[in-house]
Amino acid sequence: INAEYMGLGPLSSLFAFWPFDLSFAFGHFVMSATHFQNGKACDNQPQPQHFRSIPWILIYLIDGILAFACSYLILGNGNIVYWLFLLPAFAAIFAFPVLSLVLVAYSYLLQMNTVGCPEKYWTFKDKNFEAQWRGKKIPVLTLYEAYFADKIDLSEDENGKQRDLLQTLMYQRKEFARFVIEWEHIKFFLTQFIPELLTHSRAQDVTQVREHYDRGDDFYGAFLGPSMTYTSGIFQNMNDNLEEAQTNKMELVANKIHLKKGDQHLDLGCGWGTFINYCAKNYGTDSTGITLGKNQTDWANNLAEKGDQTDKARALCTDYRDVPQLTNNKKYDKITCLEMSEHVGVKNYSKFCDQVFDMLNNHGIFYLQIAGLRRPFMFEDLTWGLFMGKYIFPGADASCPLGWVVNHLEAAGFEVRSVETIGIHYSLTIKKWYDNWCKPEHKQFIIAKYGIRWYRLWMWFLAWSVISAGQGSATCYQIVCHKNFSNFDRTQFLAERSMWKI
């Protein structure tokens, strides 16, 4: 039963990943360890073992017993009506603590082999840390926290050259790291992630977005490159550079939504405004971008001014929820949202989809590009997701499996025209960002201005994300949809690809 459609509002967010279907409860975690090296697929890194799913039945059982016991202590053999209220209430209260305890225990149970060789790949700079972990696999949270704190550093290889973080994590991580759930994970999950997921207020969005995106344009320029585009590119081949991939992406999106001259175009989460300026310049649209980032707004409007197209492209620094009021309920021919809706949050996602539906012209097209997670996850996926939620994209809790997103779009009245998974393109995009970040001049500048912790944290984020997107732990979806009206002209999609430039 979907709590959202029962009118329980925020409670639905508790169950975004809750596995009520038995196919998942009794399924298997499977992970492909295929990556790309020199443009070719390879499988020569350690293969993770396949293992049975988390014992959800055990979790349900423990949760049910605790809920029953507490209800009985309070009510005894009391009124059945009170039982029907208290029992599910206690079940909800105990659900996440029980889940957390089982996850911790189960992650350690599945990775009981602690013998490792971190000293082969890492130089210990802290003697106490070395005494604790030499010859042992290090829990991944403990590992990256030590790296950020400069307690360890990458060692030299057999040629006397310092190891590369990405290559070391991609091919040797199983030799020195354990992807287990630690109590720090649980503390973050219960005291920060869940409360923020359930409340997800406007104030939270403003604070988190501006703390992240207003850190400094020079910080983001050090890895995004000249285009300042913080979304996945599209690679026609392995030799495309980052700027070509981002131009390919913008052209592909324009093709998918049948962008044409004179279109009223709204871009929700426009970032530094690269896409709205591209559409106005190359397609003659009237494009409006929305972002909460002050620096991004200034950058986007400066781009429009430099291109002498301020009458056709502009960015507004506002919450997406205020767009109807600011524009006098204007209708748009095309609405795009590239990797912003993750920040909308699980709690607000239905209202977001409803709002987009209302702002879209009846014959318009909505394009949604969203980073998501595979549903049959394993513990490496989970530790990566918790890392991202804490350090990189706090509040982006609507990074969910594809089915969850499609369900919300359809419930809002959309017909999904097409879905394309571009996870491997994302992996290649982030690899380009990683290469930019590691350039000596960028490293020197970032460490001097922002400190070594920020430099290493971001390098870890980029390296781990290359791997996660490349192996399917995380991915990105391009979703094209329109209003599901009988008189919508669906013939426009016939043979559309034959006219695309990419």
Side-chain angles (χ1 to χ4, degrees):
I1 300 174
N2 189 326
E4 187 168 8
Y5 298 117
M6 291 175 63
L8 300 183
L11 284 180
S12 65
S13 59
L14 289 169
F15 306 115
F17 288 90
W18 203 257
F20 285 114
D21 57 302
L22 295 179
S23 63
F24 181 71
F26 294 102
H28 291 76
F29 289 134
V30 179
M31 182 174 87
S32 167
T34 299
H35 296 286
F36 282 80
Q37 185 178 35
N38 299 324
K40 297 180 180 180
C42 58
D43 294 286
N44 59 348
Q45 70 276 21
Q47 297 284 328
Q49 70 178 84
H50 294 187
F51 53 89
R52 289 198 172 276
S53 177
I54 293 171
W56 295 105
I57 298 301
L58 176 61
I59 294 172
Y60 298 151
L61 182 62
I62 296 174
D63 189 36
I65 291 173
L66 289 173
F68 180 86
C70 289
S71 300
Y72 186 79
L73 285 173
I74 295 174
L75 298 175
N77 295 319
N79 193 307
I80 187 63
V81 175
Y82 294 119
W83 268 92
L84 291 175
F85 172 78
L86 266 189
L87 193 61
F90 277 121
I93 291 170
F94 287 120
F96 284 106
V98 170
L99 174 63
S100 300
L101 288 170
V102 173
L103 281 176
V104 170
Y106 201 55
S107 68
Y108 277 89
L109 179 65
L110 290 169
Q111 302 177 70
M112 295 183 68
N113 179 18
T114 61
V115 178
C117 52
E119 60 276 7
K120 181 179 178 181
Y121 303 101
W122 300 89
T123 297
F124 289 97
K125 302 173 75 173
D126 182 289
K127 297 301 180 183
N128 293 331
F129 192 80
E130 179 179 13
Q132 183 178 5
W133 293 111
R134 174 174 282 275
K136 301 176 183 177
K137 291 183 179 180
I138 307 174
V140 67
L141 183 149
T142 302
L143 177 68
Y144 60 64
E145 282 288 1
Y147 180 56
F148 302 159
D150 201 27
K151 293 182 179 181
I152 57 174
D153 199 359
L154 290 160
S155 64
E156 294 182 348
D157 60 20
E158 54 274 9
N159 298 317
K161 183 180 178 181
Q162 187 176 41
R163 297 180 187 276
D164 175 72
L165 179 63
L166 173 58
Q167 296 298 314
T168 302
L169 289 178
M170 183 175 288
Y171 299 109
Q172 280 86 38
R173 64 187 184 278
K174 300 299 181 181
E175 298 182 38
F176 57 78
R178 299 171 72 197
F179 294 90
V180 293
I181 307 301
E182 299 185 62
W183 290 114
E184 278 299 312
H185 286 129
I186 301 304
K187 179 181 176 182
F188 163 73
F189 183 68
L190 294 178
T191 64
Q192 183 176 335
F193 181 82
I194 294 300
E196 289 182 352
L197 180 147
L198 292 175
T199 56
H200 209 111
S201 64
R202 283 174 174 247
Q204 175 185 318
D205 284 341
V206 170
T207 300
Q208 291 177 334
V209 168
R210 290 181 179 166
E211 283 182 354
H212 183 80
Y213 293 105
D214 287 344
R215 182 173 303 128
D217 292 336
D218 51 9
F219 183 93
Y220 290 95
F223 67 94
L224 295 180
S227 75
M228 292 295 282
T229 305
Y230 204 2
T231 55
S232 176
I234 295 293
F235 290 79
Q236 291 185 306
N237 58 67
M238 300 292 293
N239 296 321
D240 281 350
N241 62 41
L242 180 59
E243 300 310 306
E244 289 170 334
Q246 293 296 3
T247 300
N248 291 342
K249 185 269 303 294
M250 292 187 289
E251 188 62 27
L252 180 60
V253 174
N255 289 333
K256 285 191 172 188
I257 63 175
H258 299 182
L259 202 62
K260 62 184 183 296
K261 185 175 182 179
D263 273 346
Q264 297 296 310
H265 167 223
L266 177 67
D267 188 31
L268 298 171
C270 68
W272 286 269
T274 307
F275 185 55
I276 58 172
N277 280 281
Y278 180 89
C279 294
K281 178 181 178 180
N282 293 279
Y283 286 87
T285 61
D286 185 283
S287 294
T288 300
I290 303 298
T291 177
L292 281 172
K294 294 180 179 180
N295 290 359
Q296 293 181 330
T297 304
D298 292 340
W299 186 286
N301 288 327
N302 286 337
L303 271 183
E305 187 174 345
K306 290 176 182 177
D308 193 25
Q309 54 182 20
T310 54
D311 59 327
K312 296 190 296 183
R314 83 286 303 166
L316 304 178
C317 186
T318 188
D319 191 291
Y320 71 90
R321 284 160 284 205
D322 294 330
V323 172
Q325 181 180 355
L326 291 174
T327 61
N328 197 26
N329 293 312
K330 179 179 179 178
K331 302 294 183 182
Y332 293 89
D333 302 305
K334 308 291 163 60
I335 299 179
T336 54
C337 181
L338 281 72
E339 298 173 40
M340 182 284 280
S341 70
E342 299 90 326
H343 292 277
V344 167
V346 169
K347 170 179 174 283
N348 303 318
Y349 212 82
S350 289
K351 291 182 179 179
F352 168 76
C353 293
D354 290 340
Q355 180 183 329
V356 172
F357 187 92
D358 290 339
M359 293 190 298
L360 187 65
N361 185 302
N362 286 348
H363 297 283
I365 297 176
F366 174 41
Y367 172 89
L368 178 66
Q369 184 166 307
I370 181 170
L373 304 173
R374 61 180 172 190
R375 190 166 186 185
F377 62 89
M378 62 178 295
F379 283 111
E380 181 174 348
D381 304 358
L382 185 56
T383 54
W384 177 82
L386 291 170
F387 165 81
M388 295 290 285
K390 181 176 181 178
Y391 295 98
I392 309 302
F393 296 121
D397 54 74
S399 294
C400 294
L402 175 61
W404 184 89
V405 179
V406 170
N407 284 343
H408 280 75
L409 289 171
E410 292 182 334
F414 285 106
E415 176 181 321
V416 175
R417 163 62 193 167
S418 66
V419 177
E420 185 173 357
T421 300
I422 59 168
I424 190 58
H425 294 273
Y426 217 158
S427 179
L428 293 172
T429 301
I430 303 171
K431 175 60 166 62
K432 299 295 185 183
W433 294 345
Y434 176 85
D435 292 341
N436 281 343
W437 189 252
C438 292
K439 289 179 179 178
E441 62 272 25
H442 291 166
K443 177 180 180 180
Q444 182 179 3
F445 170 77
I446 294 297
I447 290 176
K449 183 171 180 179
Y450 295 96
I452 192 170
R453 179 177 175 84
W454 271 116
Y455 178 77
R456 287 188 173 182
L457 191 157
W458 226 252
M459 186 160 66
W460 187 282
F461 147 57
L462 294 171
W464 203 359
S465 297
V466 172
I467 297 168
S468 293
Q471 69 187 14
S473 301
T475 191
C476 190
Y477 306 108
Q478 291 185 330
I479 305 173
V480 179
C481 49
H482 56 79
K483 293 186 177 182
N484 196 350
F485 290 164
S486 299
N487 63 348
F488 183 88
D489 180 19
R490 293 167 176 81
T491 62
Q492 64 183 289
F493 297 115
L494 292 173
E496 61 177 352
R497 290 180 180 267
S498 64
M499 297 179 286
W500 290 4
K501 299 175 183 178
I502 177 173

